[in-house]
Amino acid sequence: MKKHKKELILILAILAAAAVGFFINYQNSRRPAVLVEVSVDGAAIASYDLNENLDTIIDGYQGGTNHLIIQDGAAWISEATCPDKVCIHQGRITMNGELLVCLPNRVIVTITESQPE
């Protein structure tokens, strides 16, 4: 009987921790996203306002490139020189915490709530 009680307490503790984590993540994603941050090979290279339209080329790792478009509060990669094109198929991102990743070109595009400087 004691074993079942301990297992039940453990399950309830895990569920409570998961609920807290979900709530924190939900609250963070509800904050207004205003900034698109771009990094290449781990180094931040640019920040753009999500509410201003932009069409730019990102110079990635070892000569690779990604074509980033920001339009109508969304960001996406429309073209890339990587062989698999997974970054293109990730679609549009609009919410705080979402990101686009191009592993071959080592490009990461992240949406954050930070105010542009």
Side-chain angles (χ1 to χ4, degrees):
M1 184 69 173
K2 285 185 179 183
K3 183 178 180 182
H4 293 295
K5 187 175 182 180
K6 288 181 181 180
E7 289 175 352
L8 181 61
I9 291 172
L10 178 63
I11 290 171
L12 291 175
I14 291 171
L15 288 175
V20 168
F22 175 77
F23 179 75
I24 291 170
N25 188 38
Y26 177 73
Q27 290 299 325
N28 285 339
S29 68
R30 289 187 54 196
R31 294 185 197 144
V34 295
L35 193 65
V36 177
E37 294 180 348
V38 179
S39 65
V40 175
D41 202 17
I45 62 160
S47 294
Y48 304 108
D49 189 333
L50 182 63
N51 299 308
E52 293 183 16
N53 293 346
L54 175 79
D55 188 325
T56 188
I57 301 294
I58 301 167
D59 294 323
Y61 180 73
Q62 291 187 343
T65 60
N66 294 76
H67 184 191
L68 174 66
I69 297 176
I70 301 172
Q71 186 175 339
D72 300 326
W76 68 94
I77 295 176
S78 65
E79 297 175 36
T81 59
C82 57
D84 55 10
K85 311 288 190 230
V86 171
C87 53
I88 296 171
H89 300 294
Q90 291 173 354
R92 297 173 184 231
I93 57 174
T94 59
M95 297 182 66
N96 188 26
E98 289 185 314
L99 51 92
L100 300 167
V101 178
C102 182
L103 289 177
N105 293 341
R106 299 185 184 178
V107 171
I108 299 176
V109 178
T110 308
I111 295 189
T112 67
E113 64 180 315
S114 301
Q115 293 294 330
E117 297 175 5

